Amino acid sequence: VSIATTRLQTALAYVDAFYAGQMLTLTTLMGHHAHEELEASRARLSSAAGSSQEVLSLTGARGSSEDESAEIRQQQNAARLALQRWVGVMPEALAPIPAEPPPTEDIYVARHPSVVAMLRELEVATQAAAVADINRKPNWTWEVAYGQRTGYSDMVSFGVSIPLQVSPGERQDREAASKLALVDKAEAELAEARRAATAEYLTLRSDAERLQQRIERYRSNVVIPAVQRTAASTAAYRSNQAALATLFEARHAEVEVQRKLLTLQRDLARSQIQLAFRPLTAEVAP
């Protein structure tokens, strides 16, 4: 169970560190855009085509972008340190997360750590009840002994032991009943663990499917139009048919859309990782 927990926590830390790096890339891009916009507005101001208000507004926007990049960089550093806590080294670069096929419901429940633990508890309780049941029955024993004696005839003895239980209800019956009660308790706890594992699986599977649908819908309905809007604004600006502010607004909107898409992808990856790494694997399963 400890090995499975370590694998799960390591995988979740990897997900957080990877997407923190992706988020930092987007905020850095936003900072580059803010710098370009500020330089362009200053050029327009020097040529009397712009205004000081525009320059001041873009100066504040660049400052906000730099502060946001610093915040995301701090979050990335915390995520990388959390990953280092599990793997022992500070990773320089993280590869994209491969898709992990989710297990079936039966495998997930059967290999869930709490279910495996309750199965062991039931096994121990059943064995203890069997021992208590054996102790309720008298155990007849016999023995034969042969002795050589100096100056006397050899001797052969035969003995039979028949235990007679006195007031078995005061001891053996009560002990057996208590052990059987522990079996019933272990069976009830095992059933509860299986129900909890099933509910956990269905919740994670539902979240993963819902997030996958949201990502596909968001990509087609929001991301692609945002990219097309930026391309159209760039072409219009180059042909002097759109203002510079229109281009900047389109670029900012596209970056924000990409950031939300990253958040959805990170949530999906966390759900998939929990489905794949929560159960005990064949290498660690008892």
Side-chain angles (χ1 to χ4, degrees), residues 133-204:
D133 184 64
I134 291 176
N135 292 334
R136 294 177 63 249
K137 302 174 182 178
N139 186 17
W140 291 30
T141 59
W142 60 272
E143 64 177 5
V144 176
Y146 173 78
Q148 291 181 336
R149 300 186 299 176
T150 303
Y152 298 93
S153 301
D154 294 347
M155 182 180 67
V156 177
S157 62
F158 178 81
V160 178
S161 174
I162 305 176
L164 298 177
Q165 296 181 350
V166 179
S167 300
E170 296 296 327
R171 180 178 179 183
Q172 285 84 1
D173 291 348
R174 292 176 60 182
E175 182 179 359
S178 67
K179 298 301 182 182
L180 290 175
L182 291 178
V183 172
D184 293 340
K185 178 175 179 292
E187 289 177 345
E189 290 178 345
L190 174 60
E192 172 60 24
R194 283 173 172 162
R195 286 193 295 268
T198 300
E200 184 178 86
Y201 175 84
L202 295 176
T203 300
L204 289 172

Side-chain angles (χ1 to χ4, degrees), residues 58-252:
L58 291 176
T59 301
R62 186 181 70 170
S64 298
S65 179
E66 291 175 349
D67 180 71
E68 188 173 8
S69 295
E71 180 182 1
I72 297 298
R73 190 173 291 106
Q74 182 178 359
Q75 294 176 3
Q76 183 200 30
N77 184 60
R80 288 165 62 87
L81 288 174
L83 179 59
Q84 182 185 12
R85 175 257 182 274
W86 293 107
V87 300
V89 296
M90 177 66 76
E92 295 183 0
L94 300 178
I97 301 170
E100 290 287 341
T104 63
E105 180 180 338
D106 292 340
I107 292 178
Y108 185 92
V109 173
R111 293 183 178 178
H112 196 280
S114 62
V115 173
V116 173
M118 288 300 102
L119 279 171
R120 288 300 181 90
E121 293 290 337
L122 177 60
E123 180 182 352
V124 171
T126 302
Q127 292 177 356
V131 172
D133 184 64
I134 291 176
N135 292 334
R136 294 177 63 249
K137 302 174 182 178
N139 186 17
W140 291 30
T141 59
W142 60 272
E143 64 177 5
V144 176
Y146 173 78
Q148 291 181 336
R149 300 186 299 176
T150 303
Y152 298 93
S153 301
D154 294 347
M155 182 180 67
V156 177
S157 62
F158 178 81
V160 178
S161 174
I162 305 176
L164 298 177
Q165 296 181 350
V166 179
S167 300
E170 296 296 327
R171 180 178 179 183
Q172 285 84 1
D173 291 348
R174 292 176 60 182
E175 182 179 359
S178 67
K179 298 301 182 182
L180 290 175
L182 291 178
V183 172
D184 293 340
K185 178 175 179 292
E187 289 177 345
E189 290 178 345
L190 174 60
E192 172 60 24
R194 283 173 172 162
R195 286 193 295 268
T198 300
E200 184 178 86
Y201 175 84
L202 295 176
T203 300
L204 289 172
R205 190 64 185 268
S206 175
D207 289 345
E209 293 175 353
R210 176 181 55 83
L211 286 167
Q212 185 64 52
Q213 294 172 358
R214 286 186 61 190
I215 288 173
E216 294 174 358
R217 187 168 57 249
Y218 190 80
R219 183 179 283 114
S220 60
N221 296 341
V222 181
V223 176
I224 293 178
V227 174
Q228 293 173 346
R229 176 189 174 189
T230 301
S233 299
T234 303
Y237 174 73
R238 290 175 178 174
S239 61
N240 294 324
Q241 295 181 358
L244 183 61
T246 303
L247 173 60
F248 292 161
E249 182 182 353
R251 293 166 68 179
H252 283 212

Side-chain angles (χ1 to χ4, degrees), residues 260-280:
K260 183 174 181 180
L261 178 63
L262 272 179
T263 301
L264 292 174
Q265 291 173 336
R266 181 198 61 193
D267 293 344
L268 173 61
R270 289 182 64 87
S271 296
Q272 292 174 335
I273 286 295
Q274 291 183 73
L275 279 171
F277 287 87
R278 178 81 68 184
L280 302 179

